[in-house]
Amino acid sequence: MEKKEIPYKIYLEERELPRAWYNLRADMKKKPAPLLNPATGKPITEEELEPIFCRELARQELNDTDRFIPIPDEIVDFYKMYRPSPLVRAYCLEKKLGTPAKIYYKFEGNNTSGSHKLNSAIAQAYYAKEQGLVGVTTETGAGQWGTALSMACSYFGLDCKVFMVKCSYEQKPHRREVMRTYGADVTPSPSLLTEVGRKINAEFPGTTGSLGCAISEAVEAATTREGYRYVLGSVLSQVMLHQSIIGLETKAALDKYGVKADIVIGCAGGGSNLGGLIAPFMGEKISGKADYQIIAVEPASCPTLTRGKYLYDFCDTGRVCPLAKMYTLGSGFMPAPNHAGGLRYHGMSSTLSELYDEGLMEARAVKQTDVFAAAEYFARIEGILPAPESAHAIKVAMDEAIKCRETGEAKTIVFCLTGTGYFDMVSYGKYHDGVMSDYVPTDDEIAASLSKTPKLP
Amino acid sequence: MEKKEIPYKIYLEERELPRAWYNLRADMKKKPAPLLNPATGKPITEEELEPIFCRELARQELNDTDRFIPIPDEIVDFYKMYRPSPLVRAYCLEKKLGTPAKIYYKFEGNNTSGSHKLNSAIAQAYYAKEQGLVGVTTETGAGQWGTALSMACSYFGLDCKVFMVKCSYEQKPHRREVMRTYGADVTPSPSLLTEVGRKINAEFPGTTGSLGCAISEAVEAATTREGYRYVLGSVLSQVMLHQSIIGLETKAALDKYGVKADIVIGCAGGGSNLGGLIAPFMGEKISGKADYQIIAVEPASCPTLTRGKYLYDFCDTGRVCPLAKMYTLGSGFMPAPNHAGGLRYHGMSSTLSELYDEGLMEARAVKQTDVFAAAEYFARIEGILPAPESAHAIKVAMDEAIKCRETGEAKTIVFCLTGTGYFDMVSYGKYHDGVMSDYVPTDDEIAASLSKTPKLP
């Protein structure tokens, strides 16, 4: 292929926007373990999922055979408002680091929700609308997912009820206000509105909540209301599917310029951006068409892949959801306060867990202050103030680029810059003031949490 | 020209990035009135400006003859990180309004400073660096300019001292934290660090400041320090020059698709985005090559063009700056608190003032709650949460599109969406809570303020 000069920002044209999502599971030789019904211990069926999820989403959740799922036109039209997103060549960062490495990042923060979460939110809202539902319920931690879902629901005229982890609700009033601008109803979790919320409040008085608690509340709120379903922004296979648009665009942009990635890096909480980014690269790796080094980056304070176990666990604290086989720290794991709210989940997408277990990807855990140092460095050089979550990927991308400086290798490093940090300035302030904690859980703490994982019937 | 299908977002290619700014003054038949030295009443010279401004910027300030000024390569490289910015076809808004009008907006909020201010900040920082200066001082109201300058200074390794209007400093701690991330030194104004600040504090105890006060302090801080100069983000002719990149890109994108604008709309505080957006359109209008309806939109609470007078006035409250002939409400005018902090300046760019005086453009004043209603409507339809300043232009663009619905005319409306409102959520909250004021100054208040404009020697 003819080598073209690579601009700072590669924008695919609108007509190059992918028209189908890529379902990596269809190409996996060993499929991710199925979701189980906790009562029977048997694989869950579409019918069993339908009281919780929209019909089409239940179908997508269990589909591990169709390689491509067409993207409905209404979703494509919405995507056109902010996609294709730019793939940026980090010329300034490369120069500053003095590295022969070539660094690219897919920037998913160029929309009002401030992150990649909108890619799945609009799909989930669309299927809810198509099914004639009144509204959806969900949880949000850092607030990106709640914001994205509010935007998507507002676009399709759906009601949107968000349970926001209490500590985020209190720390991030501006995030709440954005959701309110988009007409959403936001409740701090654990609340007194649900049975499970009341129970958690009684058991842990004064708790500031967790994503696991908020999921339980949102599921209850959906299943006890006529015309509502529950939607989730990460972990699920359907979310990985929708997020594959990140990877498809990234690969298409690289292919267009004849560039082959060597290392692909994403931050990992539940796995939504990582799963989406790596999908087409992993597909080629599995088929032997090409090789890539793939790295998941997680916070040392919530080290699911690097220190968790691969077993069946509950997805939520209230234990109302199906069981998933995944790397987990235990559904009762309460991570130390950290400022990457989107990476505090106890588990990991079962697709990514399986790939990691098979050795098809690596994982690294990084400390919070190192992450903020990388974030500030990047902001000053590349002009984008990253979300703390995204900065996990930046940290490892910089580490790899520095290694290249030492070895002289001109590797091509690609990472996903999932979002912007405009609503995380309290966290940046703590970093500037030197009052940021680097707490890492002890082995005993993790073992204690894992000891409560369920016994299968 | 062949008509191509118009995408949702038009991105010019990197190689189409303008390589010269357009100096509209060179094409004006009647030139804007010169800046005057307040001591002598005579037109100010480059030499007199040089203690305040960088050398090259002083030259640009007085240059009304060169039509194009080449953009230095270092600035072009920085521009490439966020430019060309998208020109968006507002298909969703058109559909929702049911209008035959075609609406386009140039989106300048796709960078971390969140607004178009970065276009001039990077130019001013570059010339300061080139002159071997240590740093620059400035004022900021809403915080966009201060953020933009912090980013620009960080990029070139310059010190950056920002005097931030006290009420913004207190209301927007997150803006401050962004500037701090970029290494700037931010002081609430009026402060006790400058003579003029101490004087204003003594005269108006407890004042929460104004842009005019902050300018006086920043000028004093620059002129009393070795190796510093003052920079300003609006009003000045050099700023209009740098911001012409907005209009040049807009026009190039429209031309590429064979689209002719009918109406061009921008919000107007000091005039920076409006002056930049309209430059190439106004150039054609002056030469008779094409006709355009050009509309400046200002807040009814600070109605500089619609209710001010065209005369020589001070640019700052402390009266330390040169005199400019402009539409003004008087340099002591203190607008009622409103949430479009960037549109609270008492005067207007002398270029725009002259064009307005000659009837080459119109002006409209809009009320705050109407602006926020338009902002929220737009956010829900187009997916971008606008800055309150930008929403002034949205309001009038929507008004014009609705007129088209009534008359059946398919006019092409172009406006500048200057920035995002992520740091304005307190304002959105007030709007949602119904506690937003629509105060409009009385004729007596304006007359009283205007009575204090200077007598020329």
Side-chain angles (χ1 to χ4, degrees), chain A residues 1 33 42 59 62 116 154 161 224 257 270 287 308 342 373 387 392 403 409 413 430 450:
Chain A
M1 178 178 291
K42 288 193 182 145
R59 204 167 294 153
L62 302 184
H116 67 293
S154 155
K161 297 195 188 303
T224 55
Y257 285 88
S287 73
H392 286 69
K403 274 188 215 163
E409 289 172 290
I413 300 168
K430 287 195 176 156
L450 280 170

Side-chain angles (χ1 to χ4, degrees), chain A residues 7-9 11 14 77 80-83 92 111-112 151 154-155 174 177-178 180-183 376 379-385 422-423 425-426 428-429 432-433, chain B residues 7-9 11 14 77 80-83 92 111-112 151 154-155 174 177-178 180-183 376 379-385 422-423 425-426 428-429 432-433:
Chain A
Y8 279 60
K9 297 186 308 305
Y11 280 105
E14 188 171 287
D77 282 348
K80 286 177 184 169
M81 291 204 285
Y82 71 102
R83 308 204 69 84
C92 296
N111 69 76
T112 284
M151 291 177 67
S154 155
Y155 184 78
H174 296 185
E177 206 56 54
V178 178
R180 207 173 159 205
T181 301
Y182 286 94
E376 184 164 286
R380 292 186 180 191
I381 303 306
E382 285 288 318
I384 297 173
L385 186 90
Y422 306 143
F423 293 96
M425 296 321 297
V426 171
Y428 275 90
H432 294 143
D433 293 336
Chain B
Y8 278 62
K9 298 185 308 304
Y11 281 104
E14 190 172 285
D77 281 347
K80 285 178 186 170
M81 290 205 285
Y82 70 103
R83 307 204 70 84
C92 296
N111 70 76
T112 284
M151 290 176 69
S154 156
Y155 185 78
H174 296 185
E177 204 59 52
V178 179
R180 207 174 159 205
T181 301
Y182 286 94
E376 184 163 286
R380 291 186 180 191
I381 303 305
E382 286 288 318
I384 297 173
L385 186 91
Y422 307 142
F423 293 96
M425 296 321 298
V426 171
Y428 274 90
H432 294 142
D433 294 336

Side-chain angles (χ1 to χ4, degrees), chain A residues 114-238:
Chain A
S115 84
H116 67 293
K117 296 281 181 176
L118 198 52
N119 301 330
S120 184
I122 193 64
Q124 298 194 44
Y126 168 77
Y127 291 117
K129 182 72 181 176
E130 201 206 14
Q131 192 174 326
L133 297 177
V134 178
V136 292
T137 71
T138 199
E139 78 298 325
T140 197
Q144 280 109 327
W145 168 247
T147 310
L149 190 69
S150 305
M151 291 177 67
C153 285
S154 155
Y155 184 78
F156 284 125
L158 284 168
D159 186 38
C160 180
K161 297 195 188 303
V162 180
F163 289 86
M164 185 169 186
V165 177
K166 196 178 274 173
C167 66
S168 283
Y169 184 89
E170 285 162 1
Q171 275 174 14
K172 299 189 168 186
H174 296 185
R175 270 278 181 210
R176 269 191 276 152
E177 206 56 54
V178 178
M179 292 186 244
R180 207 173 159 205
T181 301
Y182 286 94
D185 174 24
V186 188
T187 305
S189 167
S191 76
L192 300 176
L193 297 182
T194 64
E195 204 169 304
V196 64
R198 288 188 291 272
K199 204 174 135 200
I200 293 167
N201 268 312
E203 198 174 341
F204 304 99
T207 175
T208 55
S210 74
L211 214 51
C213 304
I215 293 175
S216 303
E217 287 207 270
V219 170
E220 182 183 323
T223 51
T224 55
R225 255 188 195 79
E226 194 67 41
Y228 280 78
R229 289 294 184 285
Y230 167 69
V231 297
L232 175 64
S234 191
V235 185
L236 297 172
S237 297
Q238 59 188 266

Side-chain angles (χ1 to χ4, degrees), chain B residues 199-329:
Chain B
K199 203 173 135 201
I200 293 168
N201 267 312
E203 198 174 340
F204 305 99
T207 176
T208 55
S210 74
L211 214 50
C213 303
I215 294 175
S216 303
E217 287 206 89
V219 170
E220 182 183 322
T223 50
T224 54
R225 253 187 195 79
E226 193 66 41
Y228 281 78
R229 290 294 185 283
Y230 167 69
V231 298
L232 175 63
S234 191
V235 185
L236 297 173
S237 297
Q238 60 189 264
V239 176
M240 306 294 128
L241 175 71
H242 306 148
Q243 295 294 358
S244 69
I245 194 153
I246 302 174
L248 293 169
E249 285 185 10
T250 302
K251 187 127 192 342
L254 290 172
D255 288 350
K256 192 168 176 175
Y257 285 87
V259 175
K260 154 81 175 61
D262 296 304
I263 310 178
V264 182
I265 301 168
C267 63
S272 67
N273 93 87
L274 182 69
L277 172 69
I278 70 173
F281 300 96
M282 187 59 87
E284 289 193 351
K285 183 167 178 166
I286 290 170
S287 73
K289 198 177 153 197
D291 196 22
Y292 302 98
Q293 184 182 6
I294 294 174
I295 309 174
V297 191
E298 58 186 16
S301 58
C302 191
T304 313
L305 289 171
T306 51
R307 297 176 65 198
K309 291 259 178 287
Y310 189 36
L311 39 78
Y312 269 103
D313 195 6
F314 285 99
C315 295
D316 64 323
T317 312
R319 304 185 159 205
V320 299
C321 291
L323 295 170
K325 189 175 177 194
M326 57 183 178
Y327 276 84
T328 178
L329 295 163

